C-alpha cells in the first residue's frame, strides 16, 4: 500500500467545521478548515462522489472527537498539536476501498465556552483552596492542640468564647482530651504521683486508724528530710489509736568519691 493517493486531479477539497466536546461536560472545541479527499475512478461523475465525501467527513469527525475529547478546555494547544499530527498526513479509509483523505484544521475554544470553562476553574480553585485550608487546619490541630494538654484546654476555651456559660468541660474530658498525645493519655509525673497517693488514701480508708498511722509516718519522714515546715498536715483524731513506730534514722548519703 502506498502512502499517497492517486492522481491529484481526482482530489476534492471542501470546507469542514465541527464542534467537538472536551473532557469537561458542556464545553466544546470548534474545529474549522479544509478536508481533502480522493474521488475513486469508479465513482467519478456519479452520485457516489457524495458518499465518498461523507465517508471522509465521518472518518475525520471520528478522529477529531477521539483526540480532543481527551483534553480539558485549558489544554487547547496540546489538543491542537495532537490533532494536527493525526490528520495532516494522508489517511486510508478502510471502509471505502481506494478512499484517501487529509485535513488542515484550526482548533479554537469559543468565547462562550471559554467563559464557562473559566467559571468552572474558579469554582474548582475555590474548592481546592478550601480543602487545602482544612488540611492545614487539621495538621495544625494535630501539631499543637493534640500534642499538649494545656494547648488543648486553651483551644477548647477559645471555641466557646461567645458562650462561656455553656462551656462543657465534661465533653472536653471525654471527647478532646483522649486525643491529646497518644491513644493512652500521657500523664505528668505530678499527676501520676497524685493518683498514687489517692489510691493509697482510698485503701487506707477501708480500715479505721490506717489513715492516721500513715499520715504520722509520712510526717515523721518529712521531718527527717526537713520538709515539714509549713506543710498543711490534716488534724489527727484522738479516738484513733496512736502511732507505734520506731524512730527513723536517716542513712548517710555516699558521694561519688566515697564509692
Amino acid at each position: 500500500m502506498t502512502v499517497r493517493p492517486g492522481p491529484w486531479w481526482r482530489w476534492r477539497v471542501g470546507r469542514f467545521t465541527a464542534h467537538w466536546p472536551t473532557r469537561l461536560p458542556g464545553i466544546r472545541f470548534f474545529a474549522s478548515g479544509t478536508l481533502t479527499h480522493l474521488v475513486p475512478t469508479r465513482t467519478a461523475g456519479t452520485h457516489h462522489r457524495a458518499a465518498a465525501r461523507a465517508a471522509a467527513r465521518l472518518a475525520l469527525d471520528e478522529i477529531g472527537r477521539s483526540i480532543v475529547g481527551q483534553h480539558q478546555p485549558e489544554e487547547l494547544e496540546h489538543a491542537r498539536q495532537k490533532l494536527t499530527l493525526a490528520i495532516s498526513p494522508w489517511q486510508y479509509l478502510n471502509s471505502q476501498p481506494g478512499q484517501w483523505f487529509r485535513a488542515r484544521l484550526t482548533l479554537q475554544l469559543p468565547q462562550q465556552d471559554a467563559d464557562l470553562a473559566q467559571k468552572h476553574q474558579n469554582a474548582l480553585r475555590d474548592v481546592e483552596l478550601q480543602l487545602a485550608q482544612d488540611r492545614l487546619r487539621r495538621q495544625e490541630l494535630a501539631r499543637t492542640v493534640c500534642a499538649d494538654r494545656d494547648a488543648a484546654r486553651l483551644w477548647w476555651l477559645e471555641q466557646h468564647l461567645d458562650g462561656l456559660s455553656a462551656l462543657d468541660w465534661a465533653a472536653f474530658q471525654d471527647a478532646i482530651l483522649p486525643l491529646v498525645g497518644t491513644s493512652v493519655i500521657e500523664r505528668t509525673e505530678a499527676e501520676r504521683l497524685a493518683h498514687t497517693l489517692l489510691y493509697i488514701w482510698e485503701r487506707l480508708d477501708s480500715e479505721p486508724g490506717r489513715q492516721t498511722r500513715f499520715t504520722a509516718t509520712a510526717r515523721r519522714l518529712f521531718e527527717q528530710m526537713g520538709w515539714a515546715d509549713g506543710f498543711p498536715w490534716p488534724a489527727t483524731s484522738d479516738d484513733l489509736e496512736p502511732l507505734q513506730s520506731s524512730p527513723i534514722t536517716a542513712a548517710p548519703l555516699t558521694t561519688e568519691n566515697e564509692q
Side-chain angles (χ1 to χ4, degrees):
M1 180 185 299
T2 62
V3 296
R4 293 178 60 84
W8 62 268
W9 60 82
R10 289 192 284 124
W11 299 352
R12 298 293 183 268
V13 181
R15 297 293 302 173
F16 179 88
T17 60
H19 286 89
W20 290 328
T22 67
R23 288 186 59 185
L24 186 62
I27 308 299
R28 300 183 301 172
F29 289 127
F30 176 70
S32 62
T34 60
L35 170 62
T36 303
H37 69 283
L38 175 68
V39 179
T41 305
R42 66 179 182 278
T43 62
T46 68
H47 66 280
H48 293 292
R49 288 185 302 175
R53 182 173 62 251
R57 295 179 66 88
L58 287 176
L60 177 59
D61 186 74
E62 183 178 354
I63 294 176
R65 287 176 178 273
S66 64
I67 292 177
V68 304
Q70 301 176 2
H71 295 78
Q72 295 286 357
E74 62 272 16
E75 299 173 340
L76 171 61
E77 185 61 28
H78 190 203
R80 180 182 296 159
Q81 300 303 327
K82 289 190 66 174
L83 181 64
T84 300
L85 291 175
I87 65 176
S88 293
W90 285 103
Q91 307 283 329
Y92 184 78
L93 190 59
N94 294 324
S95 61
Q96 299 288 332
Q99 180 77 45
W100 292 77
F101 72 93
R102 70 179 180 183
R104 299 289 188 269
L105 300 180
T106 300
L107 193 65
Q108 298 175 336
L109 184 64
Q111 187 60 45
Q112 181 179 359
D113 293 89
D115 295 339
L116 292 176
Q118 186 61 47
K119 291 181 180 179
H120 176 268
Q121 287 294 324
N122 294 338
L124 185 62
R125 189 179 298 109
D126 292 341
V127 173
E128 291 177 346
L129 179 60
Q130 183 63 40
L131 292 177
Q133 291 176 343
D134 293 341
R135 182 168 58 254
L136 290 176
R137 191 178 299 111
R138 288 193 298 269
Q139 292 175 353
E140 184 68 15
L141 185 67
R143 187 177 63 86
T144 58
V145 176
C146 293
D148 181 77
R149 296 164 67 85
D150 293 334
R153 294 187 182 94
L154 180 60
W155 172 81
W156 185 254
L157 182 62
E158 291 176 348
Q159 301 303 310
H160 298 82
L161 286 180
D162 296 334
L164 293 178
S165 59
L167 185 59
D168 187 2
W169 285 106
F172 171 80
Q173 296 286 344
D174 297 338
I176 305 300
L177 200 56
L179 302 177
V180 179
T182 59
S183 58
V184 179
I185 301 177
E186 296 180 354
R187 299 185 175 92
T188 63
E189 293 294 332
E191 288 176 324
R192 283 195 286 267
L193 179 59
H195 280 277
T196 301
L197 294 177
L198 180 61
Y199 169 77
I200 294 174
W201 196 258
E202 291 176 349
R203 291 295 302 271
L204 291 174
D205 193 41
S206 62
E207 183 177 336
R210 282 191 173 184
Q211 290 184 357
T212 301
R213 290 194 296 273
F214 180 81
T215 301
T217 303
R219 186 170 185 174
R220 184 178 296 275
L221 176 61
F222 272 47
E223 290 174 352
Q224 292 290 332
M225 300 294 295
W227 300 340
D229 296 340
F231 191 84
W233 293 102
T236 58
S237 177
D238 296 336
D239 57 351
L240 297 177
E241 59 180 281
L243 174 67
Q244 301 294 334
S245 62
S246 59
I248 301 176
T249 59
L253 299 177
T254 59
T255 62
E256 294 182 356
N257 295 333
E258 295 174 348
Q259 293 178 352

